[in-house]
Amino acid sequence: MTEVLLRDRRILINGRPELLLAGEVHYFRLARADWADRLDQLRDCGGDTVATYVPWLWHELPDGSVDLTGRTHEQRDLAGFLDLAHQHGLRAVVRPGPFVMAEVKNEGIPYRVYDEHPHLLPTTWDGAPISTRTIDYLAPEFLAAADGWYAQVMPLVAERLAPRGGPVVAVHLDNEIGMLSWVTNSPDLTDGLCADLARWAVERYGKDTAAARIGADPTDPPAWAAALRTPAEERSLALHHDLGRYMRDRYRRYVTALRASAERHGVTGVPFLVNVHGTDSGRGRTFPIGISQLMESYRGQPQLTSGSDYYLGDLTVTNVADLYVSNAFLAAAHDGDQPLTCLEFEAGNGDYGEDLSTRYPPEAIDLKTRLCVAQGNRLLNLYLFAGGHNPPLAEPVGDGNDRIAFTGERHGFAAPVGPEGQLNPTYPAARRALHAVRGVADLLADGDEEHDALALGFVPDHYLTEYHHPASTNRSEQVAELERFRGMGARDVLARALLLAGYSFPAVNLQAPAGGAAQGPAGTPPVLVLATAPTLGSDVQQRLVDHLRAGGRLLLHGPLPTRDHDGTPCTLLANALGLRADGWLEGGPHYFPSVVGHAWAARPAEVRVGYAQLLTGSGERLLTEVGSGQACGVEVTVGAGRAVLIATDYPCHLDFWRAALDRLGVRPRLRHDASEPGLVLTSTVDRSGQRLRHLINVAPSAIEFSLWHRDEPVLSGRRLRIGARAGLMLPAGVRVGPATLLESSCELVARNGTEVLLRPTQPEDVAVFATDRPVHADRGEVTVADGRTTLTFRATDGEPVRVRIG
C-alpha cells in the first residue's frame, strides 16, 4: 500500500517528498503491441510516471455500453494499459474528463449527449448559438450523464489506486474548464444559467442592487436574461464584472460535483488535479486569466491542487518572465498544502500542423524544466510525450475522416516520440533535462525556492477579462487598458527587469484575506511591487494603503488608479499618496514623449517612453516629462511607509530598476557581474539546509561571470561560464555520507552513501568538502587546507567524476 498526500506544498509518497516526472502516452492512439515500447522509452527518458486521458467518446459504444477492458477493441483496454505501466515500474496520473480536449471531437463528449439534450449547447451574447461544442456545466442532464461516465470509469481506476497497491497516484478532473467560452468570447447564457445568476446576484447584493447593476428585475426571467445577453452600455462594466465573478463560482460548484461523483464511485486516498489553461502564441500574458477563472475551484480544497498547461515554445528573454510569473501567480492562489504541478508541459518541436512553420530548439525543454523545478513544481508531465494514430469512431458520423480526433489519422507528430515510434531531437534533450533533475530529485522534492524581500502583486480581478460584449465600447476599452498595464507591466518591462536584474520573488494575491494561506507562500513581504492600471478595486487600494501606513514599501508601475472594476470612481490609493493625475501623453508615429531622471533616478541621457502620465501633488520628483516639465515618477512617504510610483513605461534598464528597489531596501541575495543580460538566478533550500543554486542562461550567447551569495564570493570568486541557452544546478551544503559538499562548479549526477557522482560543467572544475575523512576521486587533484578538502579536475569529454569519502 502507498499513501499519497499533498502537504506543505509537497507531494508525499509514504511520507517522503517526491518529484513526479511524467509523460503523456495515449494508449487509445497506440496498438497494444506498442505500449511496452513507449513505456520503456518514457523510463529511459527519466520518467517515473505515465499520464493519459481517457476519452468518454471512445469508450462509450453505440449501444450505450462502455468498454474499458478491450472486449471490443484492444485500444479500449484502459485496465490493461494501467496494469502494464505498473509492471514497468511506472506510476500513473489518470485524466478521465468528462471533457478531455486532446484534439478529440466534441472535446471527448459522446455525440449522443448532444443528440439527447440539444438544449445543453448554450446560447451566448444577443441570444446567438455558441460556436463551440461546450456544454452548460451545471445542467442537471449533463451532470447526470457525467456521473454515469464516472460510474463506469472510476471503479476501474479505484481498483488501481496507489493506496490499494496500484499505480494511480492522482486523478485529473475534467480539462481546461471554461476555456472554450473564453477563447471564443462566448459566455454560456442559457435560460437556466441566467436564472442561476439571478439567484447568485440577489444573494450577493440584494434584489434592488442586483437590478440596478444589471438593468433588469432578477425576478423577471425573460427581462433578466435579455439584459445579460445584450448589456446596456451604462451598466456594461458592472454586468461584465458580475458575470465573471459568477462564472468563477459556477466552475467551483462544477469541480465540487465532479469530485463528489469520483469519490462516490470509489476514488479516494489520492490527490485530485484541476488544470489551468491560458498560454497563447508562446507567451504567458493571458495565463493568469485561467488562474482567475479556476482558483476558486481548487484553493483551500483538501487534497486537490492546480496543474498548469504551459505552451511557451522556446524560452528566451522575451518570455522567461512569463513562465516565472505564471508559476508565482499560481502559487499565490494556493493554500499552504497545495504544490505547483504542470499537467501539460510542452515537450515537442512545435510542428503541430506538419507545415514546418515552427521548430523549437531542443534546449528549450531543458531551460523550462530547470526553471519550473527551481520554483517548486513537484509534477511535470511532458505533453505530448508519444504520438500515435487516431482510431475510427465506433459509428461513422460522416465528417470527413470518421476518426476520434480532427487531426487525421496520425497524431502527435511534434512529440519527442513520433506516431510510429521515431525519436526527434527533443527526445535526447528531454532525457538530459529529466536526468539532470533526477540527480537532485530529493533536494528539489523537499526544497523551496528562496526569495528576496519583495513580492509581485497579483490582482485576480485584473484578469477577469475573458468576456466583452462586442458592442460595448466601455468594456472593450477597459479590457484593452487592463491588458496593457496589468501583471508584468507595460511592455512586460517590470517583471522582466526584476528577473533579469537578479531578483527571485513570490507573488502575493492582493485579493485574498490579509494573512490568509492563499495570500502567498510567505504572507506579505516588506516590499510589494505592482503593475497596475487606472482600474484597481477598492479592496486592493485599501490594502495597499494599509500596507504603507504600517511601514511597508511599494513600487507601483503604471497609471495612478482612479476607478473600481465596475467603473465607479475610487482614489483611495491616490489620496493616500497625495497625488493626482494631471494629463496623459501618448507616443505615436510623429510624437515621442521623453523623460529625464532626478535624484537616484538620474541618468546620463533622457529616455524616450511610450506614454507618460503627468502627476501633481506631494513627493520627490524622480522622472520628469521633458516637454511639459511635469513629474511622471515620484517617491512619496505615507505614514511609516514609502512608495515609488513610475507612471510611465520606462525601458528595461536594469540599473534603473535595481536602483528603485535599492531605494526601497531590497538587494538581491544572488549577484553576478556578467556584462550582458540573460542570466536568471535563484536558489532552493530543503528543510535541512541543503541548497541548490539555479543558474539559467536564456541569452543566445555564452555568459561569463563571478557569483556572490549575500555578498560572499561563491567558489572563492572563480569565473564561471554558462553556454548559450543552458543552465546549471550547483550544490551548496549538500551531505555526502560523513562529509558536506560545501560548494562545487559541478552538477550532481547521483549520491549513494559515501559516494557522489559529479558532472563537470567548466574547463576546470572544483568541489569543496568539509570532512575529517580522506577524499578519493577517480581523477583530479585533492588538496587539504583550513579544514577543507578541495578536488580540482579538468573536464574529460564531459565524463562524470566519482568521489568517495573515507
Side-chain angles (χ1 to χ4, degrees), residues 117-141:
H117 311 289
H119 63 287
L120 295 183
L121 279 171
T123 53
T124 187
W125 298 127
D126 303 316
I130 205 161
S131 60
T132 63
R133 299 284 277 180
T134 189
I135 281 178
D136 182 347
Y137 289 123
L138 292 186
E141 300 93 333

Side-chain angles (χ1 to χ4, degrees), residues 49-123:
T49 302
V50 64
T52 186
Y53 283 119
V54 184
W56 182 7
L57 172 74
W58 171 237
H59 287 280
E60 183 175 291
L61 303 174
D63 64 3
S65 66
V66 172
D67 178 9
L68 293 161
T69 58
R71 62 181 173 83
T72 61
H73 195 297
E74 65 176 25
Q75 289 170 229
R76 291 193 177 98
D77 190 3
L78 171 64
F81 180 74
L82 293 176
D83 292 343
L84 184 64
H86 197 32
Q87 293 167 21
H88 281 247
L90 292 166
R91 296 172 174 137
V93 174
V94 180
R95 313 174 73 189
F99 283 86
V100 297
M101 283 57 177
E103 293 73 53
V104 175
K105 292 170 183 174
N106 295 342
E107 319 303 339
I109 307 297
Y111 284 87
R112 64 97 184 164
V113 174
Y114 298 95
D115 294 339
E116 293 174 4
H117 311 289
H119 63 287
L120 295 183
L121 279 171
T123 53

Side-chain angles (χ1 to χ4, degrees), residues 24-29 51-57 95-109 172 174-176 179-180 275 309 311 343-344 383-384 386 388-391 403-412:
E24 184 90 7
V25 178
H26 291 158
Y27 64 93
F28 55 90
R29 285 176 162 136
T52 186
Y53 283 119
V54 184
W56 182 7
L57 172 74
R95 313 174 73 189
F99 283 86
V100 297
M101 283 57 177
E103 293 73 53
V104 175
K105 292 170 183 174
N106 295 342
E107 319 303 339
I109 307 297
H172 173 208
D174 205 80
N175 188 42
E176 297 177 349
M179 180 271 293
L180 292 172
N275 71 328
D309 283 13
Y311 293 91
L343 279 170
E344 295 188 20
Y383 192 98
L384 187 64
H389 295 79
N390 291 309
R403 296 184 180 274
I404 65 167
F406 55 76
T407 48
E409 182 176 0
R410 298 175 75 245
H411 183 87

Side-chain angles (χ1 to χ4, degrees), residues 147-161:
D147 184 68
W149 163 237
Y150 273 22
Q152 296 291 326
V153 69
M154 290 302 182
L156 182 146
V157 173
E159 292 173 0
R160 292 162 176 81
L161 294 175

